[in-house]
Structure formats: structure tokens, C-alpha cells
Amino acid sequence: MKVSKIILYFVVLVVSLLIAVFTGNAPSDSLNGFFSHILLGLWLCILFEYVSKIKRVREYSASLNNFVIIFGGLLVGTFYGIWGDFTTILQDVVLPINVSFNIWTLILAVPYLFFSMILLSFCISKYFTVFIGTKSIDARPFMIITSLILISFDFIYLVLGGNVFQNITPVTSGINLIILLNLCVLVIYFLFAITKRRPRISGFSMRGVSNRLNNIDRQIEDADRFADAARQREKKAQAQEQQKRDQRRRQRDLERKQSRRREQEEKARRKRQREQERLQRSKSKSSSKPQVSRTTSSSSVNKKELLRMKPKTGVLTPDDFKCIFCFELPSTSDGHRGIVLCPNCNYPAHVDEFKNWVRTSSLCSRCDGTIPSSFRRNPKVIPVKDYLRAYKFWKKKF
């Protein structure tokens, strides 16, 4: 037993002793009340240990054919049933007839006796052995011996009455009903254990054994057929579900292919339409101003080139079109200077200021991006007039 359990039981007994003293049930005042309080605390300790024993046995899915559980329960129930005649607490009489039966025996004795009697009956109907520690004995002799011992206890008490304990007188009159009923049940168990015999193997007829085996075989075959039918239904349902999933997947693939084909056809149609519109615009321009187009082909810009002149930034402002060195917008007065765009950030700079800068640095003064050496030697110069067109184009989108 663990030390913690011992301490707990000791505390319970000490508390019971203190309650007995403080309620005026000291040994000098009333032995019945004093021992009743002590036995009440002891009952709590026994109950805790009894339940713990049952839990330990049931942890291994074992039967309760244990000596402590059966004989100990009967012994505790018998003792507390006898003390019901001597206790001064829980002494309210339940039955009006001339028998001793009170709440003390109903709460403290009957549960032990009832549960242990059930287990004792299993010694003839269910259990073949009873374990005493690690050893086992035959259940029938155990039942006979246990019944004889408890019958002797009950009979001696019923004969002697209140003279069992010296210096302690009973507080009730009449026959103890619990002990009387316990004695009757034990006598029945004893006679039943002596007279009834377990059937032997020779007692079973071969025809009965054969019929039993045939019934078991039929039950197994029925269970196998039922399981096979259930498996077949499950396989069929799985196949149908897989077929539906495959069909849905093929339908989705077909819809995606059709959607991609429609998108490609729509893109091709739009591309042809844009090419036709571009050709028509070029034809109309060439037919209306042929000489001007030849002379100004070098300075005219189209929309694609205007898009290329856009500085690389999220939100455009007029400051994004200013020279990164002099911070001035290009003007028509700068026509002889030209504009150079950084190949990294696409921000503008006057060509003369750009050439002065790249003599001492190979990095852009705005984005710190590396400017290729070929671009530094021969930068692409955009006429100011074209850059102003781009500025006017993007100015509408500020």
C-alpha cells in the first residue's frame, strides 16, 4: 500500500475520532456513539480500498473471482449489519414491525452483502476457480466453506443477541432482519452447492454436439455470405462513384479545351482586326500626305513608341518627365539638345548632361542601375519634339 493511502486513511480515522469527541460521544460518555463514528470512518477507508481492488482486477478484463472481493465483502457487510443493533447514529427505523432494520444497515451493510452474494452465486454457476493472491482454488469448495463460516457467524449472533460485545449494550430490540435474511440466503447457497453438480463431458450427447457445431457452421456461412454481399455492394458503389468522377473530369477537360480554343480564336480575330485597322490608317495617311510622310518619317512617333517613353513608376506625375540632372521639363527651346532615357528606369535626361555624367560614373543618378558601356558611348537620342508628344500623351492620364 502506498504511503499516500496510509496517510489518507489515518486522516479519515482521526477526523472520525474528533467528530465523535466534539459531538459528545467520547468513550467516557457513550461507547456506542464513539465506536459508531470510528466505524463510519473505517467504512469509508474499506470502501475506497474495495473499489480500488475491483478496478485493478477489471483493468485486465478479468472476472471478479477473487477471495478478497467475495469473502471480504461478505465479512464487512455482516459486521456492519450486526453493528446496526448497537449504533446510535442513522438509527431511524424503516419498518414498523418488531425487527431491527435501520438506515445504518441499509447504507453500510446491504451494498456489500448484495454485491458479494451475487459473486458467491457465480462460484457455482460461472466461476470454476477463485484466486487467493497468485494461487487458485476450486470455486465449489470455496463456496461451501465460505457459506459455513458466515452461517456460523450469523447463527451465533442471532442466538446470543446483545451479549456479543462486553460493556456495549444494543440500542434496538427485535431480530436483526439483515442478518436473518443473510443467514437464509447462505443456507440456500450451501445446500445448492452440495446438491448441484456440474455436467461432465460424458453428459453431452454426440448428437447435441453435432447439432451445435452445425448451427455454428451455418451461422459462419451466413455471416460470410452477408459480408461478401456487402463487399460486392461496396465495390459496385465505388465503381459507380469512380465512373461519375471520371465523367465529371472529362467534362471539365472538354470545357477547358473549348474555352481555350474560344480565347485563342478571339485573340486571333482581335489581332487581325487591329492589323486591318493599322493598314487602313497607314493607307489613309499615305494617300492624303505622301510628301509629308517622307520628310517627317524620322520624327513622327506612333503609340507604341509613346508607351516606351513612359517612366517606370507606379503613379505618374509631371515630375517624372523632368530631367534627372537639371530637374526641368524639356521645352521646344531644347530642340538641339535631345533627350536620353535611362535604359533601367526610363527617366529622361538632356543628352549633354547625360554625357557629362557618364564620364565619371557608370550608374544612373536616379535608380543607381548600371548603364551598359555601349549605351554610354552611343546613347539613343530622342528628339525633344517627340518626347513632348509623349509628355502630352501621358499628361492626360495624370
Side-chain angles (χ1 to χ4, degrees):
M1 187 181 293
K2 295 182 180 179
V3 179
S4 59
K5 277 189 178 182
I6 296 175
I7 295 174
L8 177 62
Y9 297 159
F10 179 75
V11 170
V12 172
L13 293 176
V14 170
V15 171
S16 301
L17 178 62
L18 294 176
I19 292 174
V21 173
F22 287 130
T23 55
N25 292 292
S28 59
D29 299 329
S30 173
L31 286 176
N32 297 59
F34 177 76
F35 283 116
S36 295
H37 284 83
I38 297 298
L39 289 176
L40 190 60
L42 183 63
W43 184 85
L44 294 174
C45 299
I46 295 173
L47 177 65
F48 184 79
E49 191 64 27
Y50 192 76
V51 173
S52 301
K53 180 69 175 177
I54 294 174
K55 285 184 177 180
R56 285 195 299 271
V57 173
R58 296 304 298 171
E59 281 180 359
Y60 303 99
S61 299
S63 301
L64 299 178
N65 53 340
N66 187 277
F67 172 79
V68 175
I69 296 175
I70 300 175
F71 186 78
L74 289 170
L75 199 61
V76 172
T78 302
F79 177 77
Y80 277 90
I82 292 173
W83 190 258
D85 292 340
F86 298 88
T87 183
T88 58
I89 59 177
L90 301 175
Q91 193 51 248
D92 296 333
V93 178
V94 177
L95 297 178
I97 59 178
N98 188 22
V99 294
S100 173
F101 183 76
N102 49 34
I103 298 177
W104 172 280
T105 56
L106 183 64
I107 296 177
L108 305 185
V110 171
Y112 279 105
L113 291 174
F114 182 76
F115 183 70
S116 301
M117 283 295 183
I118 293 175
L119 297 180
L120 188 63
S121 67
F122 289 163
C123 291
I124 192 64
S125 62
K126 184 177 181 181
Y127 300 150
F128 289 90
T129 57
V130 175
F131 290 94
I132 304 176
T134 56
K135 297 181 180 180
S136 63
I137 60 173
D138 190 68
R140 181 188 293 272
F142 170 78
M143 182 178 182
I144 295 172
I145 295 172
T146 301
S147 300
L148 281 175
I149 294 172
L150 294 175
I151 286 171
S152 302
F153 286 169
D154 295 344
F155 183 76
I156 291 172
Y157 174 72
L158 290 175
V159 171
L160 296 179
N163 299 322
V164 176
F165 304 108
Q166 293 182 359
N167 300 326
I168 302 177
T169 58
V171 296
T172 61
S173 60
I175 300 175
N176 192 315
L177 181 62
I178 294 298
I179 301 301
L180 181 62
L181 292 176
N182 189 38
L183 177 62
C184 295
V185 174
L186 288 172
V187 171
I188 294 172
Y189 279 5
F190 176 75
L191 296 176
F192 190 74
I194 293 176
T195 56
K196 184 174 177 60
R197 294 183 179 181
R198 293 194 182 98
R200 298 179 179 178
I201 297 298
S202 58
F204 295 102
S205 64
M206 294 302 298
R207 179 178 298 178
V209 173
S210 178
N211 293 334
R212 180 60 178 166
L213 292 176
N214 291 333
N215 290 333
I216 294 174
D217 291 339
R218 283 195 297 272
Q219 291 176 1
I220 293 174
E221 291 176 358
D222 294 341
D224 291 340
R225 284 196 299 270
F226 181 77
D228 291 339
R231 284 194 292 270
Q232 292 294 333
R233 289 194 298 270
E234 185 177 358
K235 288 181 180 179
K236 186 176 180 180
Q238 291 178 353
Q240 292 177 353
E241 185 65 25
Q242 184 65 31
Q243 185 177 2
K244 291 179 180 179
R245 285 197 296 267
D246 294 340
Q247 185 176 0
R248 288 195 295 267
R249 187 173 59 255
R250 287 193 297 268
Q251 184 67 21
R252 287 195 298 269
D253 293 341
L254 180 60
E255 290 176 357
R256 281 196 291 267
K257 288 180 181 179
Q258 292 176 354
S259 177
R260 284 196 295 268
R261 189 180 299 112
R262 285 194 296 269
E263 290 177 357
Q264 292 174 358
E265 291 176 354
E266 183 66 21
K267 288 180 180 179
R269 186 185 65 79
R270 291 178 180 176
K271 186 176 180 181
R272 289 194 300 270
Q273 186 176 0
R274 285 195 297 269
E275 290 177 355
Q276 290 175 1
E277 291 175 355
R278 192 179 302 114
L279 289 174
Q280 289 177 359
R281 285 196 298 270
S282 62
K283 287 179 181 180
S284 62
K285 288 180 181 179
S286 61
S287 61
S288 59
K289 298 179 180 179
Q291 67 281 6
V292 175
S293 63
R294 286 195 298 269
T295 58
T296 62
S297 60
S298 62
S299 62
S300 62
V301 291
N302 54 26
K303 187 175 180 181
K304 187 180 292 185
E305 292 176 351
L306 294 176
L307 294 174
R308 289 190 187 131
M309 296 180 193
K310 175 181 176 292
K312 293 180 180 179
T313 181
V315 180
L316 280 176
T317 62
D319 293 336
D320 295 324
F321 290 90
K322 292 181 180 179
C323 174
I324 60 176
F325 296 108
C326 65
F327 304 107
E328 296 290 340
L329 280 171
S331 62
T332 53
S333 60
D334 298 332
H336 63 283
R337 300 175 71 183
I339 299 297
V340 177
L341 300 180
C342 172
N344 297 311
C345 62
N346 225 29
Y347 272 72
H350 291 103
V351 65
D352 52 345
E353 295 176 356
F354 175 79
K355 289 180 179 180
N356 292 334
W357 172 263
V358 296
R359 288 193 187 100
T360 58
S361 176
S362 62
L363 302 177
C364 175
S365 70
R366 187 187 182 282
C367 66
D368 292 333
T370 303
I371 302 174
S373 58
S374 59
F375 192 84
R376 280 181 284 155
R377 289 192 302 270
N378 186 21
K380 182 179 179 181
V381 181
I382 300 173
V384 175
K385 216 186 310 185
D386 294 343
Y387 195 75
L388 288 175
R389 288 195 187 95
Y391 172 70
K392 291 179 181 179
F393 174 78
W394 288 107
K395 188 177 179 181
K396 300 175 182 178
K397 304 182 183 297
F398 290 167

